[in-house]
Amino acid sequence: MNKYLSWISTHIKSREDAHNKCVEVTLRMQQEFPELIRVRGHYIDILLGDRPHWWLKTKDGIIVDPTASQFNPGDYEEFDENNPITGKCINC
């Protein structure tokens, strides 16, 4: 876990470095650490509510979110790829 935290602290220096960059940052981090699983879903921010988001997790299910600094405390909700998408997009 320390190697992931080290990568994050090297590449994400501020909240602005993380803001709205979850797609690109998770792709970059996964290239460096191919053992990580890329996940899409929603982050439920206690102040801002439900937000579409990408993060990574270990094979053991431990969340590694390189752009977590953009959020207030909250929870992750993984999108179930087996459920059909209804509406115009996954967020509708």
Side-chain angles (χ1 to χ4, degrees), residues 26-82:
T26 55
L27 284 169
R28 279 188 7 232
M29 190 169 182
Q30 189 184 43
Q31 287 176 342
E32 184 78 23
F33 304 103
E35 71 275 13
L36 292 174
I37 301 159
R38 201 159 166 264
V39 180
R40 72 176 171 143
H42 290 90
Y43 185 79
I44 296 84
D45 187 300
I46 62 168
L47 297 177
L48 303 174
D50 192 4
R51 309 213 21 200
H53 189 52
W54 286 89
W55 62 92
L56 301 158
K57 68 180 180 181
T58 65
K59 291 178 183 170
D60 297 332
I62 297 168
I63 292 174
V64 178
D65 186 351
T67 63
S69 63
Q70 68 182 307
F71 298 123
N72 299 299
D75 287 313
Y76 295 86
E77 183 177 290
E78 191 170 331
F79 179 72
D80 184 353
E81 300 290 344
N82 294 317

